[in-house]
Amino acid sequence: MRLITKLLIVAALCSTLTVFGSTSDADKAIYKRVDALMKKMTLQEKIGQLQQLTGRKSEITGPAGEKMNTAEFIRRGLCGSMLGVKTAKDVAYYQNIALNESRLGIPILFGYDIIHGCRIIFPENLGISSSWDIAAIEKSAQIAAREAASMGIAWTFSPMCDISTEPRWGRVSEGSGEDPYLGAKIAEAMVRGYQGDDLSDPNTILACVKHFAAYGAPQAGRDYHTVDMSRRMFRDRYLPPYRAAIKAGAATIMTSFNDFEGVPATGNKWLMRDLLRDELGFTGFIVTDWGATDEMRNHGVAANGKEAAKLAFDAHVNMNMVDADYIKYGEELVKEKQVSVKTIDLLCREVLAMKFRLGLFDEPHRYGGDRYKSETYLPENLEVARDVARKSMVLLENHNATLPLKGSERIALIGPFANNRKEMSGAWIGFCEHNRSTTYLEGLQARFGKDNVVCVEGCKPFSAIEGGIAEAVAAAQNADVVLLTMGLPNSCSGEATSLTSIEVPQAQRDLLDALDNTGKPIVVLLVTGRPMDVGYEVERADALLVTWHAGTMAGPALADVVSGDFNPAGRLTMTFPLNIGQVPIHYNMKRTGRPRRSLEHTQKYTSRYMFTPNEPRYAFGYGLSYTTFDYSDLRVLTPEVAMGESVRVSVKVRNSGKCDGTEVVQLYLRDDVASTTRPMRELKGFERVELRAGEERRIEFEITPEDMSFWTINEEFAQEPGSFHVWVGHDSNATLGGEFAVRK
Ligand code: BGC
């Protein structure tokens, strides 16, 4: 027994002390070149490769305590990577310093946050995820990569794979919602989109899976706040998208700001070494989030920058973003034998290997130059952005078939986002040129004619405009229908935008009230990067369409949807709660020992609220179409299977309405009895199905053993025998179901 334990420890050590990288023939040649180069490097030059600096023109304190600018760091070989360099010209400028003025001429790796597009902005990621269109999502990443590469960027800090059930947390706009299964499919698609199948292709860039780990679960929805949960919960709900992205070959990973089990992620050996390297087999390199090494002082686990650097080195974090703790204290830590040369070599090796894979040593200016002139804003890519934007929009209400518009109406387009180029884009838009965005007004006028659409701002997102309401009311009175843009501005999306209210601001509600009094039909266009409590709006509006921050092609995409040229098919990927008191709320909650079974179930001692239903306003997977879909004849084709075998389920779906449309057919699974408590149901399959009016089709799903697996009581990801329930339908409330059994 003892011998086995020892052998295991030796094996574990070997796996972390040898190489991370893959052992393909191409990589063998690359590591040969890396090793030859490393022989020439001083210790400080190796540590320099582990340092990422910002392109912002600021001075940083250098290794000897002196103030230095970026160029000096580069000259001294103390900069392996830069982020936030915004023009191809600046990329070339810094690259030339590295090539010509540093001792070894090692090229710099330029990274940036290309989160939902580069020049062409796609909808914010929560919006994109609502398309459930994996191929379109992959394409959007591919276009973003191509544009970014042409601007000099070889590395994006995306995809954000943080599952979140927290609409208070503004960064939900950057993610794919609450569901691990869908999140995993999107994560791998984005990695494929960015990286293609060849990193040496100058049109592909490195992906970076972030924020590892569980950044989407901050206490009380407050950004950067503590994350504490069981490892079981983490593995079952939060890990799958990260794992899928790694499996898809993601080249890099970013540590998260938060602590996890009391240890900041950036110094968390369990996360970075045991789980990421040893268990998940991640072979790329790890970068910290912005200043996250030094922030370990604020977390209170390091007394100073040197201790912080040691923690990050010990966790085998390869690259330090922006704070200078690695280059300031690395050499000293090695001299004092607190960090080994071996560790530095190990970390540096992977950074250099990635630069070789990208072809930077052979052709350091391959990203950037003049390429952006011919490779950004390509018309065919703008069309993809339009298609993704309209596919992302989710129709939540549509009374009396208010939408689609008939085409002959006089339209009053009102609200703070109606004709506001800047507000189309959302957060993280470093390369966005707002003048290239089309507004809702432009889109609608192009579709319905200039004279048929009048536009009034009415109010600002958070405040009234003098005379604004009166002007809006006058416009409404002269129109047949009101399209009212409401919601939250870009500045309420993304990092550091946590909120304790997810209602539409009062100034906009005042405008809505006044318009409601005109008696005209009102279509609310909800501009948001997060789920909102829209109870007030729903009571007053005839239709409600979530447009998100739809990006460069917002205008035409909206026109496509409201005109009926495109039949909406977006489905929510995050629950919209009844009110903020229900948060966190998500469809895949646990059952509890005292489940409340229905709205009518009023037994006091059940898991429920006294005065509010448990159910949300709009469930995960929900979204309307201009047509209707009926489900029937669900068949479990394999009612009994052995462990390791797949289950097949089929169902008939019919377009029962009057126009063609796309349904997102969704399959949910419940493991009835397991060794640990399991969710009420979990998404385990979906398919976007286009059906002509009246058309019926049988759709078949395969539920694999992996789909049935979870982190069992035996601490392994495995399948267990027993009975399962399966449902297929329109959303997570699907009722048409069946059962099957898995034999031992
Ligand atoms: C964010 C990251 C981002 C990084 C670099 C940080 O503040 O948390 O998501 O990639 O900055 O811009």
Side-chain angles (χ1 to χ4, degrees), residues 83 113 157 171 174 210-211 215 254 257 289-290 321 428 495:
L83 84 163
D113 293 277
F157 307 125
R171 299 201 81 168
E174 299 172 49
K210 70 187 190 187
H211 306 80
Y215 182 43
M254 187 184 289
F257 285 126
D289 203 341
W290 181 286
M321 184 187 283
W428 290 116
E495 193 172 342

Side-chain angles (χ1 to χ4, degrees), residues 203-331:
N203 292 314
T204 62
I205 60 178
L206 306 179
C208 181
V209 175
K210 70 187 190 187
H211 306 80
F212 200 69
Y215 182 43
Q219 262 179 35
R222 205 177 76 206
D223 206 2
Y224 318 122
H225 206 348
T226 305
V227 173
D228 210 350
M229 66 174 76
S230 68
R231 284 195 189 184
R232 181 176 315 290
M233 176 59 79
F234 170 64
R235 285 180 179 279
D236 279 341
R237 186 175 304 148
Y238 292 85
L239 189 57
Y242 304 118
R243 189 174 53 207
I246 291 163
K247 215 166 153 202
T252 71
I253 287 229
M254 187 184 289
T255 68
S256 54
F257 285 126
N258 55 278
D259 62 339
F260 183 85
E261 297 179 327
V263 182
T266 306
N268 193 313
K269 282 196 212 165
W270 180 72
L271 281 177
M272 300 303 153
R273 291 174 62 168
D274 302 355
L275 179 62
L276 191 54
R277 298 289 190 189
D278 297 347
E279 194 180 314
L280 301 179
F282 175 65
T283 57
F285 76 76
I286 307 175
V287 63
T288 71
D289 203 341
W290 181 286
T293 300
D294 206 55
E295 280 179 18
M296 286 196 276
R297 293 186 302 118
N298 294 339
H299 275 290
V301 297
N304 47 47
K306 187 171 162 187
E307 283 186 18
K310 174 166 162 51
L311 288 174
F313 280 131
D314 285 350
H316 287 178
V317 170
N318 302 74
M319 189 178 279
N320 190 28
M321 184 187 283
V322 173
D323 74 59
D325 286 350
Y326 269 22
I327 44 178
K328 269 198 233 166
Y329 307 113
E331 245 186 332

Side-chain angles (χ1 to χ4, degrees), residues 10-307:
V10 172
L13 280 176
C14 289
S15 70
T16 48
L17 287 179
T18 49
V19 291
F20 298 144
S22 79
T23 46
S24 68
D25 282 349
D27 262 1
K28 273 186 201 143
I30 280 175
Y31 283 109
K32 238 177 146 176
R33 292 179 75 184
V34 170
D35 292 338
L37 173 62
M38 282 181 62
K39 283 204 178 105
K40 298 186 209 152
M41 294 170 78
T42 64
L43 176 63
Q44 188 64 335
E45 280 167 338
K46 289 176 189 167
I47 296 169
Q49 286 303 306
L50 311 183
Q51 185 64 46
Q52 184 179 62
L53 297 177
T54 162
R56 286 189 205 152
K57 306 257 176 316
S58 57
E59 290 200 319
I60 312 164
T61 310
E66 74 278 38
K67 287 265 179 214
M68 304 202 314
N69 65 30
T70 311
E72 284 168 59
F73 276 92
I74 299 171
R75 282 186 197 104
R76 285 166 59 173
L78 297 179
C79 172
S81 171
M82 290 185 76
L83 84 163
V85 181
K86 287 186 84 162
T87 63
K89 198 168 145 223
D90 284 348
V91 166
Y93 166 76
Y94 288 121
Q95 194 66 289
N96 280 328
I97 298 178
L99 297 174
N100 307 324
E101 299 177 40
S102 74
R103 193 178 74 89
L104 291 170
I106 298 174
I108 295 173
L109 170 60
F110 291 90
Y112 210 168
D113 293 277
I114 308 296
I115 306 297
H116 52 110
C118 178
R119 280 291 202 222
I120 297 177
I121 302 297
F122 290 87
E124 282 190 304
N125 305 75
L126 186 63
I128 303 188
S129 72
S130 309
S131 72
W132 297 60
D133 188 332
I134 300 302
I137 293 170
E138 179 173 340
K139 183 80 188 158
S140 73
Q142 193 188 46
I143 291 170
R146 199 183 178 106
E147 286 199 342
S150 81
M151 307 277 302
I153 302 304
W155 180 20
T156 176
F157 307 125
S158 170
M160 183 177 108
C161 299
D162 305 319
I163 291 297
S164 188
T165 59
E166 260 303 347
R168 291 175 293 187
W169 190 56
R171 299 201 81 168
V172 294
S173 63
E174 299 172 49
S176 300
E178 71 191 35
D179 184 65
Y181 181 86
L182 178 63
K185 298 277 178 230
I186 292 177
E188 54 195 31
M190 290 183 77
V191 171
R192 282 196 305 267
Y194 292 132
Q195 296 191 171
D197 49 17
D198 181 7
L199 289 180
S200 73
D201 177 340
N203 292 314
T204 62
I205 60 178
L206 306 179
C208 181
V209 175
K210 70 187 190 187
H211 306 80
F212 200 69
Y215 182 43
Q219 262 179 35
R222 205 177 76 206
D223 206 2
Y224 318 122
H225 206 348
T226 305
V227 173
D228 210 350
M229 66 174 76
S230 68
R231 284 195 189 184
R232 181 176 315 290
M233 176 59 79
F234 170 64
R235 285 180 179 279
D236 279 341
R237 186 175 304 148
Y238 292 85
L239 189 57
Y242 304 118
R243 189 174 53 207
I246 291 163
K247 215 166 153 202
T252 71
I253 287 229
M254 187 184 289
T255 68
S256 54
F257 285 126
N258 55 278
D259 62 339
F260 183 85
E261 297 179 327
V263 182
T266 306
N268 193 313
K269 282 196 212 165
W270 180 72
L271 281 177
M272 300 303 153
R273 291 174 62 168
D274 302 355
L275 179 62
L276 191 54
R277 298 289 190 189
D278 297 347
E279 194 180 314
L280 301 179
F282 175 65
T283 57
F285 76 76
I286 307 175
V287 63
T288 71
D289 203 341
W290 181 286
T293 300
D294 206 55
E295 280 179 18
M296 286 196 276
R297 293 186 302 118
N298 294 339
H299 275 290
V301 297
N304 47 47
K306 187 171 162 187
E307 283 186 18

